[in-house]
Amino acid sequence: MLEINVIYLFLLLFQIPFTLVLLARLGTAPSRILPLQRLSSDEEDKAKQEPKVSVVIPTLNEVLRLPNCLEGMRDQAVAEIIVVDSRSQDGTGEYVQKLQPDYPAKLRLITDDPLPKGWVGRPWALHTGFLNANPDSEWILGIDADTVPQAGLVASLVQKAIAEGYDIVSLSPKFILKTAGEQWLQPALLVTLIFRFGATGDRNQFTQERVMANGQCFLSRKSTLTALSGYELAKSSFCDDVTLARMAAQKGAKVAFLDGAELIQVRMYTSMAETWREWGRSLDLKDAATRLQTWVDCLFLLAVQGLPLPLLMVLLIATFGMGATINASMLSWTLLGLNGFLVAIRWLLMFGIRSSYTEVGLWFWLSPLADPFAVLRIWISALTQPKQWRGRTYES
């Protein structure tokens, strides 16, 4: 019994401090910046006459994803749309060329140079687009090919940036999940970000070391990118969006990460396996943080997201199960209550993130059961360096 109580005490000493950190982060949600909304018709008309925006879309074998993105960008308030293709083999470049007559003087296709040593493909393509943008443009908007921009996205985003004086602002999207596996795993992975950085629009994310960003929709003043030498500072990062945003914040730029669920949607991956493999590979954010920050975050997630459900089940069985032989001590009751509290918070959070998804089913609501696996994925990612990414192979 003494040995069990020592284990209980160790777990409490491990979990309680991280639980207090979690409550402090989630407690700021009521004061977060409200989700971005589409402007009125008059405001949109005015926005079209405001600073010019160059949109850069990096592509590598995106012919199946790109149509929805380009259609969504067709009537946006932008000066140009630059598709930077990295020698796709699926006809992406030919598809863009075919569409160009429907986008007079607006849609451009650039094939980037072979990937230089030390660069990751995505920041290299974005850097190429930045270097080739219209000299008169005042803003650069990076958009991923798997996004579905909604009407008024660019006008609303630029208007918000100007009104608040942001140098860089990115948006969280509304996710499109179709398979049961995606609906079960993806929200659990998303929650790893919310637990570490708070809700989207949380003003605490504006501090240099906690800055968050999303490269799926990433707007920057061109002058800010110029001062940063484009994407040079994030050239080797597999989370170039967060890396660049944090570098910019360290140099004095005003950076924000806002809720854009009403203005942009995304179909990131098509299966649970792809979600595990591709998204989970960069969610540790180790390329944008110190080694200490990465491992503290891993321990934090283990304490508040990975352990609560398994511990709760074990403690319930040990205390109330048939044939239970352990006499519940004050420590066991405290540990039971703490982990029950954390599991309750996690399930209540499902109602908070519901608006971040287009459609949900039973598996979405059961996604807290995937939490131990989501935390395991973060640990695996933190312990390894990606060797393959979006069709490219990189040296270790």
Side-chain angles (χ1 to χ4, degrees):
M1 186 67 181
L2 179 60
E3 291 180 356
I4 293 175
N5 280 329
V6 170
I7 294 172
Y8 287 167
L9 179 60
F10 172 79
L11 288 170
L12 284 171
L13 292 175
F14 175 58
Q15 287 187 289
I16 286 175
F18 286 124
T19 299
L20 295 176
V21 173
L22 175 65
L23 293 176
R25 289 176 183 169
L26 297 183
T28 62
S31 62
R32 72 189 184 109
I33 299 173
L34 294 177
L36 213 59
Q37 302 293 325
R38 182 179 179 180
L39 300 177
S40 66
S41 298
D42 290 343
E43 288 174 321
E44 280 192 35
D45 290 339
K46 180 181 177 182
K48 291 179 180 179
Q49 302 173 18
E50 289 184 350
K52 292 183 177 180
V53 180
S54 289
V55 176
V56 179
I57 307 175
T59 61
L60 176 59
N61 298 324
E62 299 282 10
V63 72
L64 297 180
R65 301 172 186 256
L66 191 57
N68 288 333
C69 178
L70 287 180
E71 182 60 32
M73 292 303 305
R74 182 191 294 270
D75 297 321
Q76 300 283 343
V78 301
E80 60 181 350
I81 304 168
I82 306 172
V83 176
V84 182
D85 189 56
S86 300
R87 295 172 173 76
S88 295
Q89 301 300 307
D90 67 345
T92 297
E94 292 81 358
Y95 172 75
V96 175
Q97 290 176 327
K98 182 179 178 181
L99 283 185
Q100 282 180 313
D102 297 331
Y103 295 75
K106 197 171 185 179
L107 180 60
R108 297 168 55 196
L109 174 66
I110 296 175
T111 300
D112 57 9
D113 292 333
L115 195 63
K117 185 177 181 180
W119 281 81
V120 172
R122 187 175 184 280
W124 174 242
L126 290 166
H127 186 70
T128 300
F130 158 70
L131 293 177
N132 287 275
N134 188 321
D136 295 330
S137 289
E138 297 183 32
W139 298 87
I140 304 293
L141 174 60
I143 289 282
D144 278 2
D146 56 8
T147 60
V148 185
Q150 304 297 294
L153 164 66
V154 177
S156 300
L157 183 54
V158 172
Q159 191 272 343
K160 183 69 172 180
I162 293 174
E164 300 295 335
Y166 296 136
D167 299 298
I168 292 177
V169 55
S170 61
L171 300 182
S172 64
K174 187 183 288 284
F175 296 99
I176 303 170
L177 307 180
K178 295 185 178 180
T179 67
E182 291 173 82
Q183 292 200 15
W184 187 66
L185 178 62
Q186 201 269 7
L189 290 170
L190 177 66
V191 167
T192 67
L193 293 173
I194 297 173
F195 275 12
R196 280 180 284 169
F197 304 104
T200 306
D202 190 328
R203 299 172 196 275
N204 288 332
Q205 292 171 347
F206 296 6
T207 59
Q208 294 178 10
E209 68 279 2
R210 306 304 295 180
V211 163
M212 270 299 293
N214 178 23
Q216 293 166 335
C217 183
F218 189 99
L219 179 74
S220 175
R221 293 182 190 273
K222 191 177 181 183
S223 58
T224 299
L225 278 180
T226 300
L228 294 171
S229 300
Y231 282 77
E232 281 272 358
L233 295 176
K235 66 180 182 180
S236 61
S237 175
F238 286 92
C239 55
D240 56 271
D241 45 8
V242 180
T243 299
L244 193 67
R246 290 183 179 179
M247 291 290 187
Q250 290 172 13
K251 294 180 179 295
K254 187 175 181 181
V255 181
F257 178 48
L258 307 179
D259 186 339
E262 298 300 317
L263 294 173
I264 188 167
Q265 299 179 7
V266 63
R267 173 83 167 129
M268 291 174 63
Y269 305 113
T270 59
S271 67
M272 182 174 73
E274 191 180 9
T275 301
W276 171 274
R277 183 177 64 253
E278 298 293 340
W279 200 29
R281 192 155 39 192
S282 61
L283 281 178
D284 64 295
L285 302 182
K286 61 178 175 290
D287 291 345
T290 66
R291 184 170 296 182
L292 177 61
Q293 287 173 326
T294 299
W295 289 114
V296 169
D297 278 353
C298 285
L299 291 171
F300 169 74
L301 289 175
L302 178 64
V304 300
Q305 189 179 0
L307 286 177
L309 186 59
L311 277 179
L312 180 64
M313 294 175 65
V314 169
L315 289 166
L316 286 173
I317 292 171
T319 306
F320 301 108
M322 294 182 61
T325 58
I326 297 177
N327 294 320
S329 64
M330 180 62 71
L331 285 173
S332 68
W333 282 114
T334 304
L335 192 62
L336 180 65
L338 175 63
N339 284 280
F341 176 64
L342 287 169
V343 170
I345 287 177
R346 176 62 180 89
W347 241 289
L348 288 172
L349 190 60
M350 296 304 298
F351 294 94
I353 67 174
R354 169 62 185 87
S355 61
S356 294
Y357 296 90
T358 55
E359 300 176 17
V360 299
L362 174 63
W363 288 103
F364 169 82
W365 297 106
L366 293 178
S367 70
L369 299 177
D371 279 7
F373 301 100
V375 174
L376 173 63
R377 187 65 184 93
I378 301 300
W379 275 78
I380 292 173
S381 181
L383 287 165
T384 57
Q385 185 66 23
K387 295 181 180 179
Q388 290 187 328
W389 192 273
R390 291 291 192 181
R392 282 191 169 103
T393 300
Y394 298 92
E395 296 180 1
S396 301

